[in-house]
Amino acid sequence: MKNIKKRIACMTAVAGFASLALLATGCQTTGKSSASSDAAGSASLAAGGAQLWSQNCQRCHNFRSPSTYSDAQWDVAVHHMRVRGNLTAQEHRSIAEFLKSAN
Amino acid sequence: MKSRLSLVTLACLLACGGLALGQSNQNVSRAEYEKLKKELEALKAQMKEFKQTAPPSTKAVKEQAEMIQEQGDELDRLNKNLRQAKSMAESLKPGSTKHLLTGYGFVGYTDRQGGRGNFSAGLNPIFLWKHNDRLLFESELELGLEGNTTEVGLEYAQISYLLNDYVTLAGGRFLSPFGIFRERLHPAWINKLPDAPLAFRHHGGIAPLNSLGFQTRGGLPLGPTKLNYTLFVANGPRLNDGEDEMDEAGMLHFDNLEDLDDNKSVGGRLGFLPIPELEVGYSVQYASVSGGATTANRAEVWLHGSYLSFVRDCDLLKGTFDLKAEWVWSRVGTVTYDPDTTLADGVVGGGFGPLTFKNNRAGGYAQIAYRPSKLETPFLKDMEPVVRFDMLDLPSGAPMGADEDRWTLGLNYWLNPTTVFKAAYQFGERRPPGGSKASVDAFLIQAAMGF
């Protein structure tokens, strides 16, 4: 392939350099509550769910406001996202609980 | 004399006063007196009775209030347990489904050098039915405009079952889990540019878009890190032998509704998240396809892909960075297309063959977007510049073997989290083998809305 290896190397270098640069600049994520997500109660689930929501959903798309859907609709939407985004079971439960408590 | 006069005057005055007093006094009759007396006795008796009924003490009142409070709390607990039990019973009951209608729509305009400017529009409704906590049906239709007709397609229709915390089983038609663009990033309100990267486009791309088969998938926590996986088996792709479309000889078509040669395609994807913001992964797919009108009975197909996704909020730079990169390699076994030179209306010597070439293809993209969401300025914080480089390398011996690469500069404005206006300019170059390169610059705009 014409210059293919060179192009692959270039693209890989660009992507890798950008990642390292962003990591190295010490960018801090916005302060989000990092309460225990040990599922001891729905309040704990919801608190941990806020952080998981911000970490996982943002990887693909903007955040929909929790008030977008009702509790029953969030159950469906988050289940769909668990399948599509390969969320873990704990992430699924925590994020759903957070969205239903915040809507 | 004077003293006698004074005494008489005083007596008269006293007499008058007495008369006045006497006239103001009403005589009370005996009956009235008795009545008043009785009323007085009754009042006395009531007062006596009231005094005998001692008011509760402060302590007693407190105890009674506490008892009422406890009973109220117990009642609340019972009500809560009853609601939970009812909800659990509802979720297990057949027919107690929850559903959601969602999806997206878009309108756009593309003006590419060497072609005509065209408007486009599309609607993709998504239907979700959740039967219970484990069983989900999901489906997406694609309604678009192709030429002068309205095309209706089925993007996916699958039933999934959460076997346990780590394994989800799913079957049906699904978005290909090869790479991440198709499965996670292609919807118009999520894709940060108006078009798809070359390797992932509907026509002329090299990555699979949809599959019809079965998959198992899930996410696994590994301490502070995470792993996700997908394994699938599906109807295999079809190798275009050039019989119908000479220009497409050697291309793979993945959109098979029936398995043409009784040989399934297998593949998988593995993703690793060392930190929540970063995911790196690898995909692979293998199939053995029928050679069709070629010299080979079968040809082996190997697809490989790698990807990187990095999204991070940055307080220092007051916004969110979004970096995505993917690369796809396609290897198809070497065959001779149109060996008898007949694939042109059956006229001997009128075909395009015999044609043999090393059928290796590769392509990918790297994209970075930045949204200054933490700025105070209302308009600026909703703007999002995007830059993407994408390319496609095709076999030089293939009929449509023009390599292409593009730089796309875009600017998005987010009206709300799921509604975006996009404008982009593409600097593109196409290089056919043995021919001169041609500019394929384009201007694209699109409005997309997720609902």
Side-chain angles (χ1 to χ4, degrees):
Chain A
M1 295 286 173
K2 297 155 287 294
N3 296 324
I4 187 72
K5 289 184 181 174
K6 191 176 174 183
R7 288 184 185 184
I8 293 172
C10 182
M11 287 178 62
T12 306
V14 166
F17 179 77
S19 302
L20 287 172
L22 285 168
L23 283 168
T25 53
C27 288
Q28 300 297 315
T29 53
T30 53
K32 299 265 191 283
S33 70
S34 56
S36 165
S37 58
D38 62 3
S42 61
S44 296
L45 266 180
Q51 185 170 10
L52 293 171
W53 173 67
S54 71
Q55 289 169 351
N56 284 278
C57 303
Q58 191 178 229
R59 285 197 278 124
C60 297
H61 56 72
N62 292 333
F63 301 116
R64 287 183 190 260
S65 165
S67 62
T68 303
Y69 294 133
S70 67
D71 285 7
Q73 290 173 326
W74 274 126
D75 269 339
V76 183
V78 180
H79 189 150
H80 169 59
M81 285 293 101
R82 172 176 172 174
V83 176
R84 175 62 56 82
N86 279 11
L87 301 178
T88 66
Q90 181 61 36
E91 287 169 344
H92 173 198
R93 288 190 282 265
S94 297
I95 292 172
E97 200 60 40
F98 161 69
L99 289 167
K100 288 189 287 185
S101 70
N103 64 357
Chain B
M1 189 73 176
K2 283 187 181 173
S3 60
R4 282 188 186 175
L5 186 61
S6 299
L7 283 172
V8 170
T9 304
L10 180 62
C12 287
L13 283 172
L14 285 171
C16 288
L19 272 172
L21 277 172
Q23 285 180 352
S24 70
N25 283 338
Q26 296 276 339
N27 289 329
V28 177
S29 67
R30 185 72 185 178
E32 285 174 343
Y33 169 74
E34 291 297 342
K35 184 181 171 188
L36 282 170
K37 188 177 172 184
K38 280 183 187 172
E39 285 177 358
L40 182 61
E41 293 301 326
L43 278 171
K44 282 183 182 175
Q46 282 180 1
M47 283 293 293
K48 189 176 177 183
E49 191 181 333
F50 181 74
K51 281 179 184 175
Q52 282 173 354
T53 308
S57 66
T58 303
K59 185 179 174 187
V61 167
K62 271 189 186 173
E63 286 173 358
Q64 199 165 18
E66 282 170 10
M67 196 186 316
I68 291 172
Q69 179 67 33
E70 283 172 10
Q71 287 171 349
D73 289 345
E74 185 62 29
L75 196 60
D76 285 344
R77 277 192 291 273
L78 283 171
N79 279 336
K80 187 179 172 186
N81 287 341
L82 183 63
R83 277 198 301 271
Q84 285 174 348
K86 194 176 173 184
S87 173
M88 282 173 59
E90 286 291 333
S91 71
L92 294 172
K93 198 168 69 175
S96 299
T97 59
K98 296 177 187 173
H99 58 274
L100 180 64
L101 171 63
T102 179
Y104 59 94
F106 66 90
V107 299
Y109 176 80
T110 300
D111 190 359
R112 192 171 297 280
Q113 198 169 354
R116 283 190 284 267
N118 265 317
F119 289 96
S120 61
L123 171 64
N124 289 58
I126 297 173
F127 305 91
L128 305 173
W129 279 274
K130 180 181 162 86
H131 181 75
N132 55 35
D133 285 347
R134 293 181 183 269
L135 202 59
L136 176 75
F137 175 77
E138 45 193 340
S139 177
E140 178 181 335
L141 292 181
E142 181 182 45
L143 291 87
L145 303 168
E146 191 83 19
N148 293 324
T149 61
T150 301
E151 298 287 321
V152 179
L154 184 65
E155 286 275 74
Y156 58 86
Q158 81 168 4
I159 293 177
S160 61
Y161 182 78
L162 303 181
L163 186 66
N164 56 43
D165 280 2
Y166 311 110
V167 179
T168 298
L169 307 175
R173 182 171 166 89
F174 47 87
L175 297 175
S176 174
F178 188 93
I180 57 170
F181 181 82
R182 181 61 180 161
E183 201 178 45
R184 301 182 195 169
L185 307 176
H186 88 276
W189 71 277
I190 296 177
N191 185 7
K192 294 193 184 292
L193 286 170
D195 67 347
L198 291 165
F200 294 89
R201 56 186 177 180
H202 271 276
H203 300 293
I206 59 174
L209 302 180
N210 300 77
S211 295
L212 183 58
F214 177 83
Q215 57 177 330
T216 176
R217 54 194 298 148
L220 310 171
L222 293 175
T225 68
K226 191 172 82 168
L227 206 65
N228 62 60
Y229 74 93
T230 306
L231 300 168
F232 64 89
V233 56
N235 288 349
R238 176 173 68 88
L239 176 65
N240 194 314
D241 56 17
E243 184 170 9
D244 296 325
E245 299 278 350
M246 181 198 84
D247 289 346
E248 295 184 359
M251 288 176 65
L252 290 170
H253 294 279
F254 295 91
D255 208 5
N256 290 330
L257 301 181
E258 56 178 289
D259 192 351
L260 302 171
D261 50 15
D262 198 27
N263 211 303
K264 301 294 181 284
S265 168
V266 293
R269 181 186 66 205
L270 191 66
F272 177 60
L273 290 87
I275 57 174
E277 299 90 349
L278 176 64
E279 181 177 358
V280 292
Y282 172 75
S283 309
V284 65
Q285 186 166 342
Y286 169 79
S288 173
V289 297
S290 168
T294 72
T295 54
N297 289 329
R298 306 201 74 82
E300 285 201 337
V301 173
W302 280 99
L303 296 171
H304 301 267
S306 62
Y307 68 88
L308 176 149
S309 169
F310 182 75
V311 182
R312 185 153 196 166
D313 279 341
C314 184
D315 287 342
L316 183 68
L317 298 173
K318 299 209 177 294
T320 305
F321 280 93
D322 186 319
L323 175 67
K324 300 279 193 297
E326 290 194 70
W327 193 259
V328 180
W329 298 262
S330 168
R331 301 282 185 268
V332 179
T334 303
V335 299
T336 301
Y337 300 89
D338 188 21
D340 301 324
T341 321
T342 57
L343 295 184
D345 298 328
V347 176
V348 174
F352 67 87
L355 183 64
T356 304
F357 55 88
K358 196 173 184 183
N359 198 355
N360 295 344
R361 301 164 192 250
Y365 70 95
Q367 173 182 290
I368 189 163
Y370 166 67
R371 182 170 173 190
S373 51
K374 293 178 171 53
L375 286 182
E376 297 296 326
T377 317
F379 185 74
L380 280 180
K381 72 180 180 64
D382 295 322
M383 302 294 287
E384 182 181 48
V386 187
V387 178
R388 183 183 73 196
F389 174 74
D390 65 327
M391 57 179 291
L392 189 62
D393 275 347
L394 301 180
S396 53
M400 284 182 75
D403 297 346
E404 188 171 344
D405 53 53
R406 314 183 299 192
W407 281 97
T408 307
L409 308 179
L411 185 63
N412 301 332
Y413 178 74
W414 292 90
L415 196 62
N416 63 45
T418 59
T419 302
V420 58
F421 299 101
K422 312 175 201 173
Y425 195 86
Q426 235 165 42
F427 300 92
E429 188 177 272
R430 190 173 290 156
R431 296 176 301 280
S436 54
K437 56 188 177 185
S439 172
V440 287
D441 293 357
F443 172 67
L444 309 96
I445 53 174
Q446 187 185 69
M449 179 182 285
F451 53 85

